[in-house]
Amino acid sequence: MEETYLLNVEGVRKKILHGGQGELPKLQDGSKFTFHFQTLKDDFERTVIDDSREAGMPMEIIVGKMFKLEIWETLLSSMRIGEVAEFWCDTIHTGMYALVSRGMRRIAEGRDPLEGQKHRCGMGNMFDYHSTGYDDLDELQRTPQPLIFIMELFRVEDPSAYKRDTWAMSKEEKLAAVPVLHSEGNRLVLRREFAQAAAKYQEAVICLRNLQAKEKPWEEGWLKLESLVTPLVLNYCQCQLELGEYYEVLEHTTELLQKHNDNAKAYFKRAKAHAAVWNEREAREDFQRVAHLDPSMAAAVKKELKQLGERMRKKHVEDRKRYQGLFQSSQG
């Protein structure tokens, strides 16, 4: 099909691969596009960089929310529902793609897309990163180039028709969402629905971390948000303990204690996780720190240390029997 310039936008060409239905959607600030996309290099092999179908989740962007790759909003605005189109975009539109792709890949991997990001504008962040963590994206950062986007538009929803995703919320909306999510998490814990509760606590933490990224670390605004983050992380860790995700607990409590090394509850949860994975020395050290930091927890620590001792003795007996059995069978 003949290529045409799209909406008189410089450096963009559009080719319709499959026609859509109806009129062009009517858009307003807050409208949500849901679509699948492929990103390809403009080389002989048309090398695929990203494919949302392989990642297992369609992409969503909100109109007017300053998505880093602004040209995508323009491209999607030219499409009808059900349309599949190929867009060639020159380098003036693709310079931020490596950072956008990094965020999308982290989301697909279940990680916070803003983790470790400094509060700078998009281009400032690009220069801060020595590496995106992905070799192919590092190459794009070093050598910006034209890219091809193949998009299939599924739906366009008005702002009132969907639940706002965390990243699409304003500062005020995020702050208002946190106590609601905290309360929902507590309610789910009472029902022993720990995985669902952990998801609520995690969503609240992400809201607060996104806001913290706009504050200077350890200054008043940052500290105020951190005071809200800490109990949510501890609740999240308690859910993970219940679910048997002990290494997850070790990771998050250790990260928390690097900032707040006097938090007895964090030491207690980390100690329980260490005990569960047979790290006896680390568990005993953490339990002793708990008793030192918070004498009111001394009885709970004593009980945990007793249980730990019994579990370790039982394990040693079982290990001896197993080794003896292996030794005897090898002799036989």
Side-chain angles (χ1 to χ4, degrees):
M1 188 173 289
E2 185 181 351
E3 291 186 350
T4 59
Y5 280 95
L6 166 68
L7 305 179
N8 297 317
V9 177
E10 182 186 355
V12 176
R13 292 197 296 272
K14 176 181 179 181
K15 188 192 294 182
I16 296 175
L17 305 180
H18 178 76
Q21 301 139 10
E23 301 296 318
L24 288 174
K26 290 183 172 62
L27 303 175
Q28 56 183 299
D29 271 8
S31 294
K32 180 167 77 171
F33 292 112
T34 303
F35 60 100
H36 268 305
F37 74 95
Q38 261 192 331
T39 303
L40 300 85
K41 286 187 178 180
D42 184 23
D43 57 13
F44 181 76
E45 296 85 5
R46 286 168 63 94
T47 306
V48 176
I49 300 171
D50 288 306
D51 186 335
S52 60
R53 283 187 173 81
E54 284 190 8
M57 55 192 290
M59 181 68 184
E60 298 174 346
I61 65 173
I62 309 295
V63 174
K65 281 297 177 183
M66 299 297 289
F67 183 63
K68 280 190 181 117
L69 207 63
E70 292 177 25
I71 193 62
W72 273 18
E73 189 174 312
T74 306
L75 305 183
L76 291 161
S77 299
S78 78
M79 298 178 69
R80 291 170 168 79
I81 305 299
E83 181 178 322
V84 182
E86 177 178 310
F87 300 92
W88 178 91
C89 293
D90 205 352
T91 309
I92 57 171
H93 300 297
T94 63
M96 294 300 297
Y97 185 76
L99 287 185
V100 171
S101 175
R102 174 186 184 270
M104 292 187 295
R105 291 182 188 187
R106 290 174 71 87
I107 290 169
E109 292 162 6
R111 299 156 71 190
D112 178 1
L114 297 179
E115 184 182 319
Q117 182 167 311
K118 297 182 182 179
H119 175 45
R120 297 273 302 273
C121 67
M123 291 305 294
N125 273 319
M126 180 178 285
F127 293 121
D128 278 335
Y129 291 127
H130 298 294
S131 171
T132 62
Y134 304 94
D135 291 342
D136 58 338
L137 300 183
D138 288 346
E139 181 199 339
L140 284 182
Q141 281 201 161
R142 286 191 298 269
T143 56
Q145 56 197 268
L147 294 173
I148 296 165
F149 303 113
I150 300 176
M151 295 176 160
E152 179 179 2
L153 181 60
F154 295 134
R155 60 182 173 271
V156 178
E157 297 167 272
D158 290 337
S160 60
Y162 64 90
K163 178 177 178 281
R164 300 293 290 277
D165 292 315
T166 299
W167 58 268
M169 294 177 180
S170 67
K171 177 180 178 179
E172 292 72 23
E173 288 170 331
K174 285 174 184 171
L175 284 171
V178 168
V180 175
L181 291 165
H182 198 157
S183 177
E184 288 177 355
N186 292 348
R187 180 176 54 81
L188 288 162
V189 166
L190 290 174
R191 291 162 53 178
R192 302 191 64 77
E193 295 177 18
F194 296 113
Q196 295 89 330
K200 296 293 183 184
Y201 295 137
Q202 186 177 42
E203 189 177 349
V205 168
I206 290 172
C207 278
L208 294 168
R209 291 291 189 217
N210 289 354
L211 293 173
Q212 269 190 315
K214 297 174 174 62
E215 302 285 345
K216 288 188 177 179
W218 302 104
E219 291 195 358
E220 185 181 355
W222 189 94
L223 288 167
K224 196 175 288 186
L225 292 166
E226 185 69 13
S227 69
L228 299 174
V229 167
T230 300
L232 287 162
V233 172
L234 291 171
N235 287 359
Y236 174 82
C237 288
Q238 184 58 43
C239 291
Q240 298 303 324
L241 280 174
E242 298 285 353
L243 293 166
E245 299 289 346
Y246 303 119
Y247 290 103
E248 180 94 353
V249 177
L250 292 175
E251 178 185 343
H252 287 284
T253 50
T254 298
E255 184 183 336
L256 189 66
L257 287 164
Q258 284 169 352
K259 297 176 187 171
H260 312 286
N261 63 4
D262 59 348
N263 192 302
K265 289 181 179 178
Y267 279 118
F268 190 77
K269 293 183 195 306
R270 190 171 74 171
K272 285 176 73 72
H274 274 309
V277 296
W278 308 105
N279 296 339
E280 182 180 13
R281 179 179 59 80
E282 292 89 344
R284 289 187 181 280
E285 286 177 359
D286 277 354
F287 279 132
Q288 285 161 7
R289 283 196 191 98
V290 173
H292 173 72
L293 288 168
D294 187 351
S296 71
M297 297 180 73
V301 166
K302 186 176 179 181
K303 180 182 175 183
E304 292 289 342
L305 286 171
K306 183 181 177 185
Q307 289 178 351
L308 175 62
E310 289 170 355
R311 286 182 70 236
M312 295 308 301
R313 280 191 292 276
K314 187 177 178 182
K315 183 176 185 293
H316 293 324
V317 169
E318 290 173 353
D319 286 348
R320 272 201 305 274
K321 286 180 180 176
R322 185 160 59 250
Y323 293 143
Q324 284 173 357
L326 286 170
F327 180 74
Q328 288 168 358
S329 63
S330 64
Q331 292 295 311

